[in-house]
Each structure stands twice: as structure tokens, then as C-alpha cells.
Amino acid sequence: MPQRSPLDLPEGDPFGPHNLPYGVFTTPHAPHLRRIGVRYGSHVLDAGAAAAATASPYAELLGAATLNPLMAAGRPAWQAVRAEVLDWLTNPAHRPTIEPLMHPLTTLALHLPIEVADYVDFYASEHHAANVGRMFRPDGDALTPNWKHLPIGYHGRAGTVLVSGTPIVRPQGQHLPPAPDPSAASSSPAHTSSPAPVFGPSLRLDFEAEVAFVVGAPSPLNTPVPLSGFHDHVFGLCLLNDWSARDIQSWEYRPLGPFLGKSFATSLAAWITPLEALAPARTAPPARDVPLLPYLDDSAAEPFGFDLRIEVAVNGHTISRPLFSAMYWTAAQQLAHMTVNGASLRTGDVFASGTVSGPRPTERGCLLELSWGGRDQVRLGDDTRTFLEDGDEVTLTAWAPGPHGARIGLGEVSGHVVPATP
Amino acid sequence: MPQRSPLDLPEGDPFGPHNLPYGVFTTPHAPHLRRIGVRYGSHVLDAGAAAAATASPYAELLGAATLNPLMAAGRPAWQAVRAEVLDWLTNPAHRPTIEPLMHPLTTLALHLPIEVADYVDFYASEHHAANVGRMFRPDGDALTPNWKHLPIGYHGRAGTVLVSGTPIVRPQGQHLPPAPDPSAASSSPAHTSSPAPVFGPSLRLDFEAEVAFVVGAPSPLNTPVPLSGFHDHVFGLCLLNDWSARDIQSWEYRPLGPFLGKSFATSLAAWITPLEALAPARTAPPARDVPLLPYLDDSAAEPFGFDLRIEVAVNGHTISRPLFSAMYWTAAQQLAHMTVNGASLRTGDVFASGTVSGPRPTERGCLLELSWGGRDQVRLGDDTRTFLEDGDEVTLTAWAPGPHGARIGLGEVSGHVVPATP
């Protein structure tokens, strides 16, 4: 039986000609030579080598060790490079040149595809924010008064954004001891009024299923980016797992927000899907409940939501199917908000959606919600979890509708938990 | 009268041979050629040229366009380079070579001396945190329950860290309208219960006098840096102004912390003083009120505080003299905390102290405290302020005790406020 060419994809492959995500790989023969690749089916095109072999005007951009030079080149270059890559992969005239430059995905090491500049994490799912609010502030409003007026966000640690597959060492830190047995409360009244923290491995390690947007073209200081500038500045998107140590976070976060509960690791997919590939997935966001200030008002704008169907699996068991289309705040609004005070954008800035949770319990994007703060057991086949245990592997996958019924697959984000360093 | 050599400093110059801070400059003749300089009195040594002229083994590190390669080289290299620079400046044998490489400071343009990796801002002054707590939570405890157990911090925007002298455009953003006149309250009861934000230039623009520490030697993931590792990882320190839009911040910060109220601009001094220069300024921090967990316990450690005398001037009028020696949390504790969860350090990471406020009203490091939330007028000669007005110039200066009664000057941080972009 003749072996099929890597350029002949099975019908409906989610990494087909409508997708063409970019990543950075090395081969076992040259483990220090990072190269830009384009995923096509179960193979990866060495894009730098293809550009050199075809005397492409983009050989320098595609010959880099990260996507940053290509991302910085701006939207016309993104469109031209994408058209050229499509031609390489689908035009039979290129087949003799291109076929030898296709590597089986399984033979490659994948690296962080971008050099991250600033990393911002938003909080854009109303369902997630309301669930967290109900758990943490049971006597108050589920949402803070600002929530429907602006996309709440905070800066995270860019230096610990890691590529999918990197093991996640359980973080250690300060947290309050688990709540004492109520029957023993009378024996330690002082303890309940003003507990002292303990130090140790996080006992409430969680994932957060998110979507990250990657800034390509920078913007100058004091020049806000309007909603309409979204497609000129954002290069692409990918899945992100915002690992969270809930016990560390809940002790530290007042009044200045999350810090060590998040900064130990954030996993980014190895493949960045260009926004252009997701044009068929664009959808209107949910109806807005309050009038928005003009810089955020998208009522008359093109639809800036994306219909991404995410799946969360722990140890191979699907435990949730968050719907990105249910997100209240869009990435275009987040970009406009992030720059409205005059803050500049740099190539490599990453901003993530916050936990993607839909309205239904089966659509919640983190264990905090799925276990309702540890109260309920989440089923994993015959096993159960409230939070992650050592050895657990979390995998996020997603697809979006493409043209003519095709699916656009997003690169997975996976990571397994290893025990805390002694 | 013969002109004095730039190598002959007046007695007691705060930028004398015990100081030797590093910066990056350009000359008018070569405005794109960034070079490393060492400030000496009112002149700057072209350190790259000096290294080349003396065939120094550090010519490559000193020939870079930022301090990052030198910072990454580690403490033994820092010590060797500092000794060599001191020899160039003070050994008469070098005078014919070095004197022509001294530029008058006033003829140079100064640039951001480092490429910032991650930027973290702490909240380490008990007096500042307590004052803010009393203003914002008048019915609660001044400090949150975690405050004395861990150094509270959050990540800020690295991409908008700007060199001293960069004009600060007044940021725009969402904030709540000023509190209505109480006599008119009955006419708009809905407004007081659930106010909607307005958009416009910040009405409560403030400075924060801080000290920033710059990481030189990186650390790997999952390898906490103990208190004793402070001097191996931290290259130096400098003044920092954490410009803050209080009205934007107070509306946005719940529950995830400051974001746009801070991210428009952070001003960093042009000169980084090596930690070694500040050895005589080391001092014990205040007594601790609660037992600290072992990784933060500095009761038996060398003294990690620094005796820095800061002065804040607005439009030339000194309005405050914050004492850095009063800070509750030291930079060594901050570094240990920041990495205890396994987060890595990168060359160019900057972590700032938070507003430096001493116990006395004349030692408060921001207008929020000095005007007590806008209630009191702060005198500037014949003028007064509650918050900053367009055209105001804020200048932070500082000195530390050096050897034998000498003073070690820190490079100033200044910035003037320009009107919001229409």
C-alpha cells in the first residue's frame, strides 16, 4: 500500500487548509535550532525552509526562532504570508519542493511560539464571575458593581508562560489551614477569629480553561486602540490554561489581586491560529444589560465574539464543554479597554479571556466551579476529584466552525501535575 | 582659571567614587547609538569606549545598548566590572585615556537603562497601607489580615515603564462621578445607590515615591530564592514613580486589583546604583509584630533594609521626605516571596517597594495620603494641591549614607503632567 503524502489530508481534518496555525519546533537532529512551522494535518511544514526554497520575500520573517518578527510585520504581511503558505501546501507545482519539508508532528519538540511581552488575564465570563461571587461573597451581589461596565483584568507573570506539555510542579505557599471541624471550634476560639497561615504545597490546585489573544502589531503610547483596530493589532488566538492555586490566591488577593496563586505557571498552546482562519466563527456576543461607554459600545460594530467549542479533559475523561460564544466581554473590547488609558501595546503581548464558563453546570471552566468550591465531587470515570491531585493531566482542546462545514481545530494545551519540590 | 578635569570631583559629591551608577545614554552626534555610561559627578563616562580602549575583558558587556548583558553576567562579574570602572576613574595612569571619554551630563540624552522583563509592585510600607486602609475602609481594620504575614504585591505593566523625564499624559478612563452635593441627594436617590461610571481624564492623578530593585542573575523555574540569595540575584536599585489615577483605580480594582489606574506609565530613574555601593546604607528593618514563616523570617539574617532618604518635590517645592528605612518588608523578603511558589526570575525583572511612607505626616509618599484622600490642601509655596494638575512636575531624589560620612546619591526620577489627549 503506497504511503499517503502528508499533503493529502483526510476529509474534514481540523488542521486543514483553512486553519494553518503557526508554531515553533525543533527536530531531534538539531535540538537547538528553533524553526517556525505550520501545522497541516498530522505534519508540520518547516516554513522557514519552504520560504528559502521558494525565494519567498518572507524568508527572513519565517526564518526566525519565534513568531515575533512575523507578528510585528502587521496585517498585510500576515495575509500575504498566509496566502503563500496555502499555496505551498495545496498547489501541486510546489509538491516536490514542499513534501520533503513536512515533519511528522510526533517526531518534533514544540516550543513557546512567541516571546511574551506583557501578559494580561481578564475575567470576561459572566457565568464564571457570578459563580465565584456566589461562593466567595454569599451575602453580597454575585457580581461587583463595576463588572458590567468594564472588562475586569489584571497583569500576570509573562516569565512563567510555558508551552503546552511542560510539567506543572505543584506550587507551595502560604494559605490558611483548612477550616476546623465545627465540633472542635469551641476549643480554639482565637483560631477562628484570626487564623495564622501555614506553609506548604497548595491543597486546592485548579486549572482554568481560557482563550488567549496574541498582539502582533504594536501601538504607541497615548494612542488608544478602538474596537475597529482589533484585526489590525491581534495576530491570532490559542488555548491557555491559567493554573490557579485557590488556597494561596484566596489568602493573598486582598486588596491588590492575584499574585503567587497564579504566577507559578500559565500554559499556552504550541499553535497560534491566525484570526483570519476564524472569520467563519465570528459571532455576536450576548446582549448587554447596561449601556456601555462609547469606547466599549459594540452594539453597532461587527461581531467580535468567537464560536469556539472547548473541551476539558482530566486524565482522559471529559469533564466540561465551555462555550466561548457565551463570553460577555469580547477580545476587541478588552483590547480597547487595555489601551484607553494610553498604555501602549508591544508585539508579543498576550491577553487571555479569563475562565470560559457557560450557563450550564457542564460548561464550567474550572474545578472551583465544577466542585462548587470543593463541596461536590467531580466524576472522572470511576474516580472523582474536587481539586487536582499529583499525576493528574489536564488537556484543553477546541474547535471552531470553518467554511462549508469544516472544523478549525485549535492546538491543545496539556499539562500534568508533578509533586511539589521537597 | 584652568578648567577642572571631570575626574577631579568636589569634596562630598554624591556621585563620587563610592557610587558609580550605570545608565544608558546617547549623544547629539549619534542619537541612535545607545551606550552604557557610568555617572561620575556631573559627567558620564562612556564605559563601552573605556573598556575598548583598555582592552578590558568586559568590553562586550559594557559595549551593549542596555545593562541586561552585564546584569545577566552575575555577581562576580558585577564586582570585577565595578573595580575596573573605579580604577579607570581614579588611577592617574588612566587619565589620558579616560578624560576624553567623559561627557557632560547635560549634553546627553538618557534612556531606559534596562530592558524590563516582568514588573512587580509591592505594598511594603505599613504606614502607607494603614493610611490607605483607614481612608477606604473606615469601619474595618486598617490592614487586611494577610498584611503582616506576607509582602502583598501584584504584577504591573512592563511595557509602560518609562525613563525619568518622559512626559506623563494624563490618563483617561472610567471613574465614578464625584460624590454629589449632599443637599441634592434627595433629588437623585437612584444615583447614589448604583452610580454609573463616566469617562474622561482622571481627576485624581497622583505620584507614588518608590524604590525599585532590578534583577540581574536569573533563577530557574521551581527553585525558590532564599533570603540569602538576594545579593546574588539583585543587581541594583533606583527610584521609581508609580503614577496612579486614584479615581480609575478605585472603580476598577475589585476584585482583581489595580489595572488601568497604574498601567499608563511608571517612571524609572536613568541611573541604577549597584547594591555594592549601598553596603554602608544597610540597616535592620522595623521589629516584626507577628512570627514569620521560615522563608520570610529575617530575625537572624543580615540586615536587608536600606537607609535611603527620599525627597519629593512638586514644581520645585519639597512636600515630603519619606524614609525607606521604615519599610516593614525588605526587598530580600519580597524576592523570596515572589519565587517561593516556583516562579522563575529573568534578567530585567523589576520589583518595586510600593509607596514609601514613614510614620509622620511629612513622610508620606503620595498625594492620596498627603491630602488625606483630597480632603486637605497640600502647600506648594503660595499654591496648593490635592491631586496633580496639568503642567505639574514631580521630582523624586534620594541619598544614602556612604563610607566615611560620604553620601551616595540616587538618580532622580522626574516627570511632568501634560493634558489628556483630546
Side-chain angles (χ1 to χ4, degrees), chain B residues 32-80:
Chain B
H32 300 295
L33 180 64
R34 296 195 177 195
R35 317 177 211 185
I36 292 177
V38 175
R39 182 164 170 186
Y40 195 62
S42 54
H43 284 71
V44 174
L45 169 66
D46 183 333
T54 59
S56 161
Y58 302 104
E60 192 176 332
L61 295 181
L62 292 173
T66 73
L67 299 179
N68 288 50
L70 171 61
M71 299 199 303
R75 193 177 184 191
W78 308 339
Q79 292 172 326

Side-chain angles (χ1 to χ4, degrees), chain B residues 139-167:
Chain B
D139 302 326
D141 291 333
L143 297 177
T144 48
N146 52 9
W147 202 92
K148 294 225 165 161
H149 293 282
L150 53 78
I152 290 174
Y154 65 99
H155 285 87
R157 191 162 186 83
T160 52
V161 175
L162 310 170
V163 72
S164 171
T166 308

Side-chain angles (χ1 to χ4, degrees), chain A residues 20-407:
Chain A
L20 308 181
Y22 295 98
V24 169
F25 70 93
T26 52
T27 65
H29 305 295
H32 300 295
L33 180 64
R34 296 196 178 195
R35 317 178 210 185
I36 293 176
V38 175
R39 182 165 170 184
Y40 196 62
S42 54
H43 284 70
V44 175
L45 169 66
D46 182 335
T54 59
S56 162
Y58 303 105
E60 192 176 331
L61 296 181
L62 291 173
T66 74
L67 299 179
N68 289 50
L70 171 61
M71 299 198 304
R75 193 176 183 192
W78 307 339
Q79 291 171 327
V81 169
R82 183 171 164 83
E84 192 154 28
V85 170
L86 181 65
D87 188 51
W88 291 336
L89 291 165
T90 59
N91 183 338
H94 289 303
R95 188 167 282 229
T97 308
I98 296 302
E99 210 170 63
L101 303 178
M102 302 294 290
H103 297 270
L105 179 58
T106 51
T107 65
L108 303 178
L110 300 177
H111 303 277
L112 198 62
I114 62 173
E115 190 182 341
V116 180
D118 271 302
Y119 165 50
V120 167
D121 192 30
F122 282 94
Y123 194 52
S125 162
E126 178 176 2
H127 310 290
H128 172 68
N131 284 337
V132 172
R134 283 186 201 106
M135 274 182 264
F136 287 177
R137 296 180 297 272
D139 303 325
D141 291 333
L143 297 177
T144 49
N146 52 9
W147 201 92
K148 294 229 164 158
H149 292 282
L150 55 77
I152 290 174
Y154 66 99
H155 285 86
R157 191 162 186 82
T160 50
V161 175
L162 310 170
V163 72
S164 171
T166 308
I168 303 302
V169 177
R170 180 180 297 274
Q172 304 200 68
Q174 293 195 22
H175 44 85
L176 293 182
D181 180 349
S183 64
S186 60
S187 65
S188 59
H191 179 82
T192 55
S193 66
S194 178
V198 296
F199 182 85
S202 170
L203 303 175
R204 292 163 72 94
L205 182 61
D206 200 355
F207 62 83
E208 291 192 341
E210 305 199 9
V211 175
F213 292 79
V214 180
V215 171
S219 72
L221 264 183
N222 306 316
T223 311
V225 175
L227 292 174
S228 61
F230 177 68
H231 286 274
D232 288 327
H233 287 280
V234 174
F235 175 76
L237 61 74
C238 67
L239 291 169
L240 177 147
N241 184 344
D242 176 28
W243 303 94
S244 299
R246 301 300 184 188
D247 42 1
I248 295 173
Q249 185 185 347
S250 67
W251 169 236
E252 75 179 357
Y253 90 103
R254 287 193 176 88
L256 299 183
F259 187 33
L260 298 190
K262 302 278 193 174
S263 66
F264 56 98
T266 303
S267 295
L268 195 77
W271 299 103
I272 312 290
T273 298
L275 280 198
E276 195 176 335
L278 296 165
R282 291 177 61 185
T283 182
R288 279 68 175 81
D289 298 330
V290 302
L292 293 177
L293 286 164
Y295 78 98
L296 292 173
D297 183 1
D298 59 358
S299 55
E302 46 180 325
F304 282 119
F306 290 94
D307 178 11
L308 311 176
R309 328 286 176 90
I310 304 172
E311 194 166 304
V312 181
V314 177
N315 301 339
H317 301 281
T318 298
I319 60 169
S320 177
R321 291 189 165 85
L323 287 176
F324 193 68
S325 58
M327 300 298 272
Y328 193 86
W329 294 103
T330 68
Q333 289 173 315
Q334 291 164 350
L335 193 73
H337 186 62
M338 193 159 52
T339 59
V340 77
N341 68 345
S344 50
L345 297 175
R346 291 183 295 170
T347 299
D349 282 349
V350 172
F351 60 105
S353 60
T355 305
V356 181
S357 289
R360 281 176 283 271
T362 54
E363 294 166 353
R364 294 172 178 165
C366 62
L367 284 170
L368 179 71
E369 288 171 86
L370 289 161
S371 75
W372 206 256
R375 185 193 69 187
D376 305 333
Q377 294 287 335
V378 177
R379 294 204 68 82
L380 304 180
D382 293 338
D383 208 350
T384 62
R385 289 288 181 279
T386 50
F387 292 97
L388 295 170
E389 297 187 2
D390 291 345
D392 282 350
E393 174 148 53
V394 180
T395 303
L396 313 180
T397 53
W399 61 273
H404 319 303
R407 288 185 172 193

Side-chain angles (χ1 to χ4, degrees), chain B residues 111-127:
Chain B
H111 303 277
L112 198 62
I114 61 172
E115 191 181 341
V116 180
D118 271 302
Y119 165 50
V120 168
D121 193 30
F122 282 95
Y123 193 53
S125 160
E126 178 177 0
H127 310 290

